Amino acid sequence: MARTKRSRRSYGAGEWGRNRVRIFPDPKTGIFQIEWRENGHRLTRSLKHRDWARAKRQADQFAAGFIDAPNGKAEAEPEPLTLEALFEIYGEEVTPTKARRTQERDRVAMRMFLDFLGPHRRPETLSQRDWDRFIRERRAGRVGPSGKPVSNRMIECDLRFLVAILNWASRSRDEQGRLLLGSNPLRGLKTPVEKNPLRVVLSDEEYRALLKVSRRVDWRFHVALVLAHETGHRIGAIRKLQWTDIDIDGRSIRWRAEHEKTGYEHRTPLTAEALAALEEAQRRNPGTRDAPVLPSTQDPSICVRPWMIGDRWQQAERLAGLDPKPGRGWHSLRRKFASDLMGLPLKVLCQLGGWKNAQTVLRCYQQADEVQLRTALESRRRVQA
């Protein structure tokens, strides 16, 4: 029996000492090479492409004697691109450039689309019918890893990801200069929109209740809670703060681009409350300048883990006697920050909270409360009879 070895770095087919061949990517160019032995000599030739699935097929065919060794001449027209091959190329070239959690979401979404559309489906054959069928099946819970019905927001994210891959393929070329995909067949199709998205804003009463029990939960939770309320930034950026980012004397804080979702590096001033919380953290964890502000309980040299921050929030809700509410979490503090400072110019608010797009603030974060609505009505000029 022929033995076959598979890995992401190389692929071997055939039997040792008989018809063994191996393919591997060139470390500089990424173009696949094929290697075999002939008359006691090791020979290597370029396959002139970066298609992993196609290179594996060529190795199997060459080991079985179905094709001859590459001779360096121009190859025949490549085989049609399949969704499986396209996702594999995208997963090797684009997905690794994203954050770790986003990489995992990419892999889950690609597996879902391959199961739904089929691995051998050609991308250019996708149409409105596939688009509408996916929306129906995903909404009913018949597609997806959870097996449960999902909201329009989740369906929108899935379809936008698929469109992003097809757009990327329509701009990317192979080693012969040919576009991977002539055009995006799904361009312009409308994604379902959540008519009533759940965007909870933490109230002042809820914040005071959480603040009252925050130190009972953990001093790290208390510091994170105050910083999230006073700076309006994402908990992911707060969690990764280091003491080199904090200027106690200058009363300012630097938000690094690599820790911001938008990649926007900026500096914001510190309020008295935020400064007091940071001074408490410094007393609790006197470390080097490179140490994290919120260290892990197991290893003080690394920042606190995301799951621990989430668990602490739920623990604080229970201690504060707050009834569970879907959507109330760390991000509700970011919406509270934007809503509390609604009277500021949008440019100033975006700078303070780290938003790059003012439209995002208006659409997703700012929400007027009843007091603001009544005040606006009462300030309206009245027509005298």
Side-chain angles (χ1 to χ4, degrees):
M1 293 289 292
R3 293 188 302 167
T4 299
K5 178 183 176 183
R6 294 177 173 84
S7 73
R8 299 300 294 178
R9 294 186 177 274
S10 66
Y11 178 90
E15 296 181 354
W16 293 104
R18 180 171 168 265
N19 62 339
R20 186 67 174 176
V21 299
R22 183 174 74 97
I23 60 166
F24 59 92
D26 185 279
K28 294 183 178 180
T29 64
I31 297 176
F32 284 107
Q33 312 290 313
I34 186 168
E35 179 185 88
W36 74 99
R37 285 188 174 274
E38 188 175 304
N39 298 325
H41 299 283
R42 179 181 296 176
L43 303 178
T44 304
R45 295 289 186 273
S46 173
L47 295 179
K48 298 183 179 181
H49 62 81
R50 298 189 181 93
D51 189 334
W52 175 250
R54 181 183 170 199
K56 290 192 294 184
R57 287 195 299 271
Q58 288 178 304
D60 291 333
Q61 292 169 354
F62 179 56
F66 294 146
I67 60 173
D68 296 328
N71 56 11
K73 297 180 181 180
E75 296 186 3
E77 189 70 19
E79 298 181 11
L81 182 70
T82 63
L83 277 178
E84 183 179 35
L86 174 58
F87 286 173
E88 192 158 10
I89 296 171
Y90 186 90
E92 291 179 352
E93 298 184 11
V94 182
T95 297
T97 65
K98 303 180 182 181
R100 182 175 57 85
R101 293 180 64 184
T102 308
Q103 292 182 32
E104 181 58 30
R105 285 197 295 267
D106 279 11
R107 287 188 282 268
V108 170
M110 285 190 282
R111 287 195 296 268
M112 175 183 64
F113 280 116
L114 285 179
D115 291 341
F116 179 73
L117 298 169
H120 304 297
R121 181 73 179 272
R122 292 171 58 178
E124 64 270 19
T125 65
L126 298 177
S127 67
Q128 176 86 54
R129 295 179 63 194
D130 301 300
W131 184 273
D132 294 339
R133 187 165 60 93
F134 176 81
I135 293 174
R136 290 193 304 269
E137 299 297 305
R138 189 82 164 104
R139 187 177 287 152
R142 291 188 287 268
V143 175
S146 67
K148 299 178 181 179
V150 298
S151 64
N152 283 340
R153 175 60 178 163
M154 181 62 69
I155 299 173
E156 180 186 8
C157 291
D158 294 336
L159 291 174
R160 287 190 183 278
F161 174 66
L162 178 61
V163 168
I165 295 180
L166 298 177
N167 283 337
W168 176 83
S170 66
R171 297 189 301 267
S172 303
R173 298 179 182 273
D174 61 14
E175 289 68 33
Q176 283 72 42
R178 295 182 289 257
L179 287 171
L180 295 178
L181 188 63
S183 62
N184 181 355
L186 304 180
R187 185 187 300 275
L189 298 183
K190 293 183 178 180
T191 57
V193 178
E194 196 70 37
K195 295 183 179 179
N196 297 295
L198 184 63
R199 293 178 179 140
V200 177
V201 179
L202 195 72
S203 67
D204 288 333
E205 292 76 14
E206 290 171 330
Y207 174 68
R208 283 193 292 267
L210 292 172
L211 189 63
K212 187 176 180 180
V213 301
S214 58
R215 287 187 178 87
R216 293 169 54 191
V217 175
D218 185 68
W219 69 266
R220 299 168 186 81
F221 176 78
H222 171 74
V223 174
L225 183 69
V226 174
L227 290 179
H229 182 267
E230 297 299 317
T231 68
H233 279 69
R234 294 179 178 86
I235 187 60
I238 294 172
R239 186 176 61 83
K240 296 177 182 177
L241 283 173
Q242 297 179 345
W243 285 113
T244 51
D245 302 320
I246 310 299
D247 184 358
I248 297 292
D249 297 331
R251 298 170 62 92
S252 68
I253 184 169
R254 178 185 64 166
W255 304 95
R256 301 191 188 192
E258 60 266 29
H259 300 156
E260 286 289 310
K261 180 180 178 181
T262 57
Y264 172 44
E265 181 159 329
H266 56 289
R267 186 178 291 272
T268 59
L270 287 169
T271 63
E273 292 81 1
L275 195 61
L278 287 169
E279 289 173 347
E280 179 177 345
Q282 210 167 35
R283 292 192 302 270
R284 298 270 193 171
N285 181 46
T288 62
R289 292 281 294 165
D290 294 331
V293 175
L294 302 174
S296 169
T297 54
Q298 289 82 18
D299 185 356
S301 65
I302 62 175
C303 61
V304 65
R305 300 296 186 183
W307 60 266
M308 184 176 293
I309 289 290
D311 289 349
R312 293 293 185 266
W313 180 279
Q314 296 176 1
Q315 183 181 350
E317 283 186 330
R318 290 193 295 269
L319 289 175
L322 297 177
D323 294 331
K325 181 191 293 186
R328 185 209 287 141
W330 287 104
H331 220 62
S332 64
L333 279 167
R334 187 159 164 81
R335 299 189 193 98
K336 183 180 188 300
F337 182 85
S339 300
D340 288 347
L341 301 181
M342 193 177 295
L344 290 180
L346 276 175
K347 184 70 175 179
V348 176
L349 178 58
C350 289
Q351 179 72 19
L352 286 174
W355 288 282
K356 291 185 68 174
N357 190 342
Q359 293 299 320
T360 303
V361 179
L362 292 173
R363 185 177 66 253
C364 302
Y365 288 92
Q366 284 187 337
Q367 295 185 31
D369 57 24
E370 185 177 352
V371 174
Q372 292 171 316
L373 295 175
R374 290 188 179 278
T375 302
L377 284 176
E378 291 170 359
S379 64
R380 182 185 179 190
R381 289 183 59 188
R382 299 297 174 183
V383 178
Q384 299 297 326

